[in-house]
Amino acid sequence: MAAPWRVDGVSPGSGVRSGARAYPMRRTMFVLAVLGALICGGYLAVREAVRWAVAHPGPALGVGAVVLPLLVVVAVVAVRGMPRLRELRRAARAGKAEAEAEVAAMAATAPVAQAAPVVEVEAADAAPWRVEDFLALDADGFEQAIARLCERDGCRDVQVVGGAGDLGADVLATASDGRRLIIQCKRYGETNKVGSQDVQRFGGTCFTVHEAEVAAVVTTSTFTEPAADYAATCGIRCFDGERLVAWANGDGATPWG
C-alpha cells in the first residue's frame, strides 16, 4: 500500500502533528536562552560601565556624549523597522500557506497514473514501419516502441524510465554485448529538429549520472548541424527518422551496433 501523501511531516487525516509541536517548543527554549544571556550580559556590562564612570568621570562624559546619540539613532531605526518586519513576516506566512494549499490541491486532483501501452514492433510485420507510424504514437508509446525494438534485437533488462526527473534517460538497457545503453527519445515532427541544447542536456547526464557505455538520441525528425557536431564530439549516437525506420524494419543498424 502506498505511503500517505505528506506535507511538513503531517499525514492527511491522521490528526497528529508531533513535528509541528516539537519545533515551536525547541524554538521557545532557544529564544528564552538567548534572552537570558542578553539580560545577564547587559546587566554585567552596565554594572562595570557605572563603576568605570564613577572612577573616571571626565572620560565617562566624553564617551557618553558619543555613545548616547548612537543609541538613540539605533532605537529609532529599530522602532521604525518593526512594522516593516511584521509586514514581511505576514507576507512570508501567507506565501507559505498559499504554496501548501496549491500542493494539496494538486495532490487531491492528480489523476491516477495509467500504465503505458505495450507497443509491439516486429520486423516481420506485413507493412513496413514508416516515420508516420511512430508519430502516430504519443510520447509514452514512442518510448515503449523503442524499448520493444531493443528487446527484439537482443537487449536485456530493458526499462522505460522517461518522465519528470528522468535526467534525460528514457530507455535503459543492457546491450547484447554487455554494455550499458542509455537512449533518449525525441518524438518530433519533421520541421522540429533536435537542436544542440537538446543534445547538450542529454550529454550532461548520460555518461556522468547514468554511467552509459553507449548513449544515443533517437528521433522521428532530424538533427541540426550543431547538434550533430556536439554529439560526435561527446560520443553520442544520433538516430534520425530515416535510421529509426531502417532499424525498425530490420534493414539498418541498431543504435548500439
Side-chain angles (χ1 to χ4, degrees):
M1 182 176 180
W5 174 73
R6 303 173 67 87
V7 174
D8 291 340
V10 181
S11 299
S14 65
V16 178
R17 298 195 62 164
S18 57
R21 287 198 299 269
Y23 176 72
M25 180 62 69
R26 291 196 298 269
R27 183 172 60 184
T28 301
M29 295 295 293
F30 175 76
V31 171
L32 290 176
V34 171
L35 287 176
L38 289 176
I39 292 173
C40 292
Y43 169 75
L44 294 175
V46 170
R47 187 181 66 177
E48 293 301 319
V50 170
R51 288 180 178 177
W52 179 81
V54 171
H56 308 85
L61 290 175
V63 172
V66 175
V67 173
L68 287 178
L70 290 177
L71 292 177
V72 172
V73 171
V74 171
V76 171
V77 171
V79 171
R80 290 183 176 179
M82 289 179 64
R84 176 59 177 168
L85 181 60
R86 288 195 295 268
E87 181 182 346
L88 291 175
R89 287 178 176 174
R90 285 195 298 269
R93 287 194 294 268
K96 181 181 178 182
E98 182 179 350
E100 290 181 349
E102 183 177 352
V103 171
M106 291 175 61
T109 59
V112 178
Q114 299 293 328
V118 176
V119 179
E120 298 295 339
V121 287
E122 297 292 341
D125 283 349
W129 276 84
R130 303 170 303 163
V131 171
E132 291 78 10
D133 298 321
F134 288 105
L135 287 174
L137 304 172
D138 60 13
D140 292 337
F142 181 56
E143 293 171 3
Q144 286 284 340
I146 299 304
R148 298 291 77 77
L149 283 171
C150 292
E151 288 182 340
R152 186 199 70 185
D153 291 344
C155 289
R156 307 185 307 275
D157 306 322
V158 180
Q159 302 178 56
V160 178
V161 295
D166 60 14
L167 296 177
D170 293 323
V171 177
L172 311 181
T174 301
S176 55
D177 57 7
R179 290 178 297 168
R180 181 171 174 79
L181 172 65
I182 308 295
I183 297 179
Q184 184 178 71
C185 303
K186 292 293 186 184
R187 178 185 162 278
Y188 285 175
E190 182 180 357
T191 59
N192 186 14
K193 296 183 178 181
V194 178
S196 178
Q197 290 187 351
D198 294 325
V199 182
Q200 287 181 32
R201 283 192 291 268
F202 181 55
T205 59
C206 61
F207 296 112
T208 57
V209 176
H210 299 296
E211 300 179 345
E213 294 177 277
V214 180
V217 179
V218 178
T219 182
T220 50
S221 181
T222 57
F223 295 83
T224 64
E225 185 174 347
D229 291 342
Y230 177 84
T233 301
C234 297
I236 297 173
R237 305 187 181 194
C238 294
F239 251 56
D240 58 17
E242 183 178 344
R243 299 183 70 183
L244 169 60
V245 168
W247 174 29
N249 291 322
D251 300 328
T254 65
W256 62 93

